[in-house]
Amino acid sequence: MVCGEYGGAVVFVAEHVPDNKRGFYTSFIQITATLGLFISLAVIVATQQSMTPAAFQEWGWRLPFLLSIVLVLISLYIRLKMKESPIYAQIKAAGMSSTKPLTEAFTNWANLKLVLTSLLGATAGQGVIWYTGQFYALFYLQTVLKLNSRTANIDVAIALLAGMPFFTVFAVVSDHIGRKKLMMAGLLLAVIAYLPIYKGMQQAAGNNVVSVSSVKDKVTGAIKLTPLTTDEVTGKLVPAKMADHANQFMIVLYIFLQLLIVCMTYGPIAAYLVEAFPAKVRYTSVSLPYHIGNGVFGGLLPLIGLGLCAATGNIYAGLYYPIGIAALTFICGTIFLKETHGTLIWSEANKPA
């Protein structure tokens, strides 16, 4: 659900459910992004199991992409059957809808201020946390710690499966104590806990990776990392061995801990975004901070993380980016973000035109 339809999906669900259970019901949309990653890892592992490594490298990797066509057709069918959300339909019938939602959302200072506050005080930090706890963790296991690709996929998939229910748990908690408290707590935890968690993963891998060297592909310009360890005899840095004797339980546990932080920030954020904006520009206003926060701030994490590791040789340098963004978002959110818990979104539709 991390796609162009996210804004419409959360608005559609949120406007169909009771105000006091908005976090609970929208949490099922939040689960879908991680569920999609879990299913993709499961399909990749199953495909790898069904053929030789050589066959998978040559043509088998295409099969998961081909299978996704089925999901596209299903989602298209569902989308074509959907109607307008009830609040928007009532506002439109009363002649209160916006004829220029983009203009109204981004040239009206009151709305633009809400968009910027939601981006810099919530979704930017949430985006980097989501990517760090899932995609970056997988990259780190495979590329830095030299865990076998299949084993890393399985470890991450197990942690995702164990963590998914907590999207709903934290969203329900936000229905009772508020959205802002949980999101700010998740941001602060990320700032404090990421370095200890990733140092724990390094120890659990068991192959004592302490640094990385990098080279650029002369044709593509892509950066390739070589994990390094300290030779016990010479004391020099040498290429590390594969992590064949890693403590899998601890690796899964460390990824699961990251998933809890993801759930604290991502679980309540759909309800917050819906409650933060007026109905007539809600779809547009929800979509912009969400997609910039996740698509730009979060989406750049793998590239920036790889670049920082390559530039410094420090295996933890890639974490400085998400820690920095989470810290800035925590500060902005703590100062400027308003608590939206308890907002009665139907009240706007019931006002006289």
Side-chain angles (χ1 to χ4, degrees):
M1 195 61 75
V2 186
C3 59
E5 292 283 4
Y6 177 85
V10 297
V11 170
F12 187 84
V13 171
E15 293 187 0
H16 277 87
V17 302
D19 289 315
N20 63 345
K21 292 186 177 180
R22 190 171 297 119
F24 169 71
Y25 283 106
T26 55
S27 72
F28 294 100
I29 295 175
Q30 305 306 89
I31 289 174
T32 59
T34 296
L35 178 61
L37 177 57
F38 169 78
I39 292 173
S40 69
L41 291 174
V43 171
I44 290 169
V45 171
T47 306
Q48 289 174 327
Q49 286 288 90
S50 66
M51 60 185 66
T52 64
F56 182 81
Q57 290 291 331
E58 185 178 351
W59 59 270
W61 60 271
R62 295 182 175 89
L63 293 179
F65 292 96
L66 294 174
L67 288 172
S68 68
I69 295 174
V70 177
L71 296 178
V72 173
L73 294 175
I74 293 172
S75 65
L76 178 62
Y77 174 80
I78 294 172
R79 185 66 182 87
L80 292 173
K81 293 294 182 180
M82 291 173 66
K83 298 179 180 179
E84 293 288 2
S85 63
I87 294 180
Y88 181 79
Q90 185 163 326
I91 287 176
K92 186 176 181 181
M96 297 164 59
S97 62
S98 173
T99 55
K100 297 179 179 179
L102 280 172
T103 302
E104 228 177 293
F106 307 129
T107 61
N108 179 300
W109 172 241
N111 286 333
L112 181 59
K113 184 168 68 173
L114 285 174
V115 169
L116 293 174
T117 301
S118 297
L119 172 61
L120 301 177
T123 60
Q126 170 266 302
V128 297
I129 286 172
W130 196 93
Y131 275 82
T132 302
Q134 298 172 98
F135 286 112
Y136 190 77
L138 183 61
F139 157 81
Y140 190 77
L141 289 175
Q142 294 176 337
T143 307
V144 177
L145 299 184
K146 295 197 71 174
L147 201 66
N148 174 273
S149 176
R150 177 177 169 274
T151 303
N153 286 338
I154 293 172
D155 287 349
V156 172
I158 292 171
L160 296 184
L161 186 63
M164 276 189 279
F166 288 90
F167 285 108
T168 299
V169 169
F170 286 115
V172 169
V173 173
S174 80
D175 280 333
H176 293 86
I177 70 169
R179 325 293 182 198
K180 179 177 175 177
K181 294 183 184 72
L182 280 175
M183 293 190 295
M184 295 304 106
L187 291 166
L188 185 58
L189 272 176
V191 172
I192 295 170
Y194 273 161
L195 281 173
I197 285 174
Y198 276 79
K199 287 180 180 179
M201 291 169 66
Q202 184 266 354
Q203 292 175 2
N207 55 348
N208 195 35
V209 174
V210 295
S211 183
V212 289
S213 63
S214 63
V215 293
K216 275 191 176 182
D217 188 289
K218 294 181 180 179
V219 177
T220 65
I223 298 173
K224 181 181 179 181
L225 298 182
T226 300
L228 303 173
T229 188
T230 303
D231 187 275
E232 295 180 358
V233 178
T234 64
K236 295 181 180 180
L237 292 177
V238 295
K241 297 179 180 178
M242 293 295 293
D244 293 330
H245 304 288
N247 186 332
Q248 304 301 334
F249 174 80
M250 291 305 299
I251 287 176
V252 171
L253 178 61
Y254 285 123
I255 301 169
F256 173 74
L257 292 176
Q258 293 178 71
L259 255 292
L260 291 182
I261 298 174
V262 171
C263 294
M264 288 183 73
T265 54
Y266 195 59
I269 207 165
Y272 159 75
L273 289 170
V274 169
E275 293 163 348
F277 298 101
K280 61 181 181 179
V281 292
R282 182 171 288 142
Y283 189 127
T284 305
S285 300
V286 164
S287 297
L288 184 73
Y290 176 83
H291 288 296
I292 294 178
N294 286 272
V296 178
F297 285 92
L300 287 173
L301 171 60
L303 180 64
I304 294 174
L306 174 64
L308 288 173
C309 288
T312 63
N314 184 344
I315 63 173
Y316 305 113
L319 296 170
Y320 298 158
Y321 171 70
I323 288 173
I325 297 298
L328 290 172
T329 305
F330 172 77
I331 294 169
C332 292
T334 299
I335 297 171
F336 299 110
L337 207 67
K338 304 296 183 183
E339 178 56 68
T340 62
H341 170 241
T343 300
L344 306 177
I345 61 175
W346 270 97
S347 60
E348 184 180 351
N350 294 328
K351 289 179 182 178

